[in-house]
Amino acid sequence: MKLGKRLAQIEQMVTAGYTHIWDCCCDHGLLGTALLNKHTNSNVHFVDIVPELITGVTGKLQHFYPSEQKRWHTHCIDVATLPLKQFAGSHLIIIAGIGGDLMIDFVSAIVEQHRGEQIDFLLCPVHHQFKLRQSLQLHQLSVIDECLMKENQRFYEIMLVSTTASKGNVINLVGDKMWQAVSQEQAHIGREYLDKTLRHYQRIQQGKKKDVAQIVKSYQAVTL
């Protein structure tokens, strides 16, 4: 089955060379399957906490990839408890399709449990992007790559980050590279997203229930 625009963009941002790729909150396993086909030197782990989903994914993998059973693994577990230590080598953890708050919990738990280890994360939250970036910055993660995209009238920030500072740059709380458009379409998406995000935080500011003045100022400083 063909990947949608968002999952296809995530797939494109997965670079070669990882020993283990973890497709977390894998749903029906579309992204992980695409990565299994593309990255033939990597082990792909399908992770979801819903038993029925993992049972379904396992059945499909057994049917379509019987000769690759040493390269795929299914796990019905909480993402916060990934058994990274059981699998030697380099790790890329993909977490997409969930909110920023839950993503913060997952990333924080993994980083705390694996202090000093090199782990890369490919993250695509559905909201609370600013709060997620604050948490990543607090954990001293670096950004290797990032992009902004739109699918079905929703905007998505996708971030490839690492626990290794030397692999990337300091995380910008409002994004950096993702605003640098390489096409008219991308420039239009950037303007739309910036306008939508600013209006969102300005409404919060007007409500005076939460001080977001610095956030508004940060987004107002973005140049397109």
Side-chain angles (χ1 to χ4, degrees), residues 25-162:
C25 309
C26 70
D27 198 30
H28 297 289
L30 294 180
L31 176 61
T33 301
L35 294 169
L36 190 66
N37 289 328
K38 184 176 180 181
H39 296 276
T40 55
N41 291 320
S42 298
N43 294 274
V44 179
H45 300 256
F46 298 76
V47 181
D48 207 291
I49 201 166
V50 181
E52 294 81 4
L53 287 173
I54 288 299
T55 299
V57 169
T58 302
K60 290 176 186 175
L61 290 169
Q62 288 172 338
H63 180 73
F64 292 107
Y65 298 91
S67 63
E68 299 287 348
Q69 283 200 351
K70 289 185 178 180
R71 284 207 308 119
W72 59 259
H73 313 263
T74 56
H75 309 265
C76 186
I77 54 174
D78 188 320
V79 174
T81 64
L82 294 184
L84 303 186
K85 287 185 170 64
Q86 294 178 23
F87 300 91
S90 56
H91 296 273
L92 172 66
I93 299 171
I94 304 172
I95 312 175
I98 62 172
D101 284 340
L102 184 55
M103 196 170 285
I104 288 168
D105 291 343
F106 287 158
V107 174
S108 298
I110 293 167
V111 170
E112 290 294 333
Q113 290 167 32
H114 302 278
R115 282 271 171 215
E117 297 178 34
Q118 180 185 318
I119 303 170
D120 292 352
F121 294 88
L122 187 49
L123 307 173
C124 181
V126 295
H127 48 62
H128 295 154
Q129 291 86 350
F130 188 92
K131 189 175 179 181
L132 172 62
R133 286 174 177 272
Q134 284 181 312
S135 178
L136 297 176
Q137 196 181 80
L138 186 66
H139 286 298
Q140 298 182 319
L141 272 67
S142 63
V143 60
I144 301 168
D145 196 9
E146 63 178 13
C147 76
L148 175 65
M149 63 155 300
K150 185 179 181 182
E151 181 185 44
N152 297 330
Q153 302 307 308
R154 295 196 69 162
F155 296 93
Y156 297 96
E157 294 181 28
I158 306 175
M159 296 168 266
L160 177 60
V161 301
S162 178

Side-chain angles (χ1 to χ4, degrees), residues 191-208:
R191 286 192 295 271
E192 273 192 302
Y193 183 60
L194 182 58
D195 181 59
K196 178 178 180 290
T197 304
L198 267 171
R199 282 188 281 110
H200 167 72
Y201 283 110
Q202 285 168 341
R203 283 195 298 272
I204 294 175
Q205 190 177 27
Q206 288 168 1
K208 296 182 180 179

Side-chain angles (χ1 to χ4, degrees), residues 172-198:
N172 189 311
L173 294 180
V174 295
D176 184 10
K177 183 182 177 182
M178 72 178 197
W179 302 110
Q180 299 167 20
V182 295
S183 67
Q184 285 190 334
E185 179 188 10
Q186 195 64 31
H188 180 67
I189 289 172
R191 286 192 295 271
E192 273 192 302
Y193 183 60
L194 182 58
D195 181 59
K196 178 178 180 290
T197 304
L198 267 171

